[in-house]
Amino acid sequence: MSVSTLAAAPSVCAPLPVLGRDVTVPLVTGGEVAYAALDYAASAPALQRVWDDVAAYAPYYGSVHRGAGYLSQLSTDLFENARRTVAAFLDCRPDDQLVFTRSTTDSLNLLAAALPDDCQVFVFETEHHAALLPWRTARVTCLDAPRSPRQAVETLERALADRDPHGPALVCVTGASNVTGELWPVRELADTAHAHGARIVLDAAQLAPHHPVSVRDLDVDWVAFSGHKLYAPFGSGVLAGRADWLREAEPYLAGGGASRTVTRRADGGVDVRWHDGAARHEAGSPNVIGAYAIASACTALTEAGFDTLVAREEHLIRTVRDGLADVPEVRFLSLFGDDAPRVGVLSFVVEGWNSSHFAAALSAEYGIGVRDGLFCAHPLVRTLLGSDPQSQGECGAPEAAPGEKSLNAVRVSFGAGTPDEHVERFVRAVRELVRDGARWSYRTVDGRCVPDTSA
C-alpha cells in the first residue's frame, strides 16, 4: 500500500481529545511541527475529560478519611466512589478488594509482599520487569517464551503439573505484551492455574487501556494496572482481586490509615490492630486526585465504547503494517506471528540502523516520539532478537552484556487519542529514513543518540 493510499484511507472514528494534541516541537532541520506522541505503551497522554474533571475537583481538595469538615467529607466520598467506579470498570466480584497504589509495579510488589509462606510463583520470561522481578521472597519458576497461545497454556500446564501440589502457588501473566502488543490467552491460563490449585494475577497495564477487562469473565484472582497508561496522570495504580491473602498479610506500609487502634504497652512498646479492608495497604494520606483521575478515565473509556476504540486501533495497526509491508529492511518482532491479535504496540528493527539512532532521527527530523531499547522486558527482547546483527550506526548503540551483541529495538505505540496523521507521518518517516538515510549527523551523549549541534 502506498503512502498516498494510506492518507486517503477513512478513519474508523475520531480520536478522543487528549492533552498535548496541539503541542509543537522544533525540528533540527528547521521549523516546527505538531508533536506525534507515539509512545503510549510507556505513558499515554491524559484525556482532556480526565484533566477537566480533576481541575473541577481541585478547589474542593481536602484530607481523606480523617476530617469532619465539608471538604474532607466530600473528598472521602469522591475517593470511595472512585474505588467503586474502578471496581465496576473491572467487573470485580462482590467480595473482591480494590487497593489504590502508585503503579502496576507498586501493585505487584504489594501482592508479592502478601504471598503466603513457601509460595511458588510461575512467570514467563516474556513479562515486563514489573511482573518479572517482585517475587524475590518466593520460589520462582521462570518459563520459556512460548511461540503460540496454545504453547503458552501447554508450558504452564507442564510446569504446574510438576509442582508441589500442597503448597500455595501463583501465576503471573500479562494480558498484552508491552513489546509486541500481542494478546495472551488469559482465560485459558487462568483455567489451567485453577485446575492445579494455583492462583493467577493479570498484569493489565497494556490491556486495560485498549480492551475491556472483566475479572469475572477472565476468572483471574487479581488484576493490576497503572493510571498513566490509562489516560490518567502519573502516580496512581490499582490492585484488585481476592481479599484473603491481602487481609492476612502484614500491611504493605505501616502508618496512619492502615491502623485501626494503637495502644502503649507497659514495656514501652506499642500494640497495633490493623484494618482488614483496603485501608490495610493504603497507609498515609491517599492520592485522592490520582484515584479520581483513574475513575474518570474508566468512565470516559466506557462511555466511548471499547468496540469503537478497538476498531479504530485495528485501523491504525493496519496503517502501520500495510504501509511498511514492502520495506524489507523493517522487521517487526512477534512471538505468536504477524496475524496474532494485538493492541496498538509494535516493535521492530531496521536493517543497517542501530535502533537508538533510528528513534533519534524520527524525533529530531520528524517530530515523532517513539521508544527504543529493551523496554523493561530484557529477556523477551533478547529472545526475539536472538543473534540478529545490530549495526552500530552512527551512534547510540547501548553497551552489550559480555559475549552479547548490541541488542535493541524501536517501539511505536498508540491508542484512543492518536490522530491518523501521526501514524501516517510515522510510516512516511520510516520509509524516507530507510530509503534516504538521516539528513543530520548524530552523536552519543550519556548513552543516548542525539543530534550533533556542534557544527
Side-chain angles (χ1 to χ4, degrees), residues 319-345:
T319 298
V320 174
R321 298 301 294 262
D322 293 349
L324 299 177
D326 62 346
V327 183
E329 294 86 351
V330 173
R331 180 174 75 85
F332 289 99
L333 306 184
S334 176
L335 277 172
F336 302 156
D338 290 344
D339 296 330
R342 55 178 29 89
V343 299
V345 178

Side-chain angles (χ1 to χ4, degrees), residues 306-321:
F306 272 105
D307 288 346
T308 299
L309 297 176
V310 168
R312 172 171 178 75
E313 195 165 304
E314 289 176 347
H315 158 69
L316 295 177
I317 293 170
R318 287 195 302 273
T319 298
V320 174
R321 298 301 294 262

Side-chain angles (χ1 to χ4, degrees), residues 170-388:
L170 177 71
V171 176
C172 181
V173 67
T174 187
S177 170
N178 77 302
V179 176
T180 68
E182 292 164 310
L183 298 177
W184 277 61
V186 177
R187 178 57 196 250
E188 291 84 352
L189 292 168
D191 290 344
T192 301
H194 294 153
H196 289 274
R199 295 191 180 190
I200 186 168
V201 56
L202 170 64
D203 174 0
Q206 299 297 338
L207 183 63
H210 305 277
H211 283 258
V213 174
S214 169
V215 169
R216 281 190 260 208
D217 288 348
L218 295 174
D219 199 22
V220 294
D221 297 281
W222 293 276
V223 60
F225 70 89
S226 293
H228 72 99
K229 298 185 192 298
L230 195 81
Y231 310 102
F234 288 106
S236 56
V238 168
L239 176 68
R242 306 289 182 190
D244 53 350
W245 285 8
L246 298 175
R247 183 176 57 245
E248 293 160 10
E250 286 293 303
Y252 184 46
L253 297 173
S259 55
R260 186 186 300 274
T261 61
V262 180
T263 56
R264 284 287 303 274
R265 296 197 307 263
D267 63 4
V270 294
D271 288 322
V272 183
R273 291 180 59 223
W274 304 106
H275 281 294
D276 292 330
R280 186 182 187 88
H281 299 290
E282 292 178 345
S285 297
N287 181 1
V288 59
I289 286 181
Y292 182 45
I294 287 181
S296 174
C298 290
T299 299
L301 293 175
T302 300
E303 291 178 355
F306 272 105
D307 288 346
T308 299
L309 297 176
V310 168
R312 172 171 178 75
E313 195 165 304
E314 289 176 347
H315 158 69
L316 295 177
I317 293 170
R318 287 195 302 273
T319 298
V320 174
R321 298 301 294 262
D322 293 349
L324 299 177
D326 62 346
V327 183
E329 294 86 351
V330 173
R331 180 174 75 85
F332 289 99
L333 306 184
S334 176
L335 277 172
F336 302 156
D338 290 344
D339 296 330
R342 55 178 29 89
V343 299
V345 178
L346 296 161
S347 296
F348 61 95
V349 292
V350 184
E351 182 181 344
W353 287 77
N354 175 268
S355 296
S356 295
H357 185 199
F358 200 85
L362 285 173
S363 174
E365 301 179 28
Y366 296 91
I368 298 170
V370 296
R371 183 61 59 101
D372 67 273
L374 300 175
F375 318 125
C376 291
H378 294 185
L380 171 57
V381 179
R382 287 190 173 104
T383 294
L384 292 172
L385 292 178
S387 59
D388 278 7

Side-chain angles (χ1 to χ4, degrees), residues 393-416:
E394 290 187 38
C395 71
E399 293 184 3
E404 182 182 81
K405 295 181 179 180
S406 174
L407 299 176
N408 63 344
V410 178
R411 183 181 70 192
V412 57
S413 53
F414 37 81

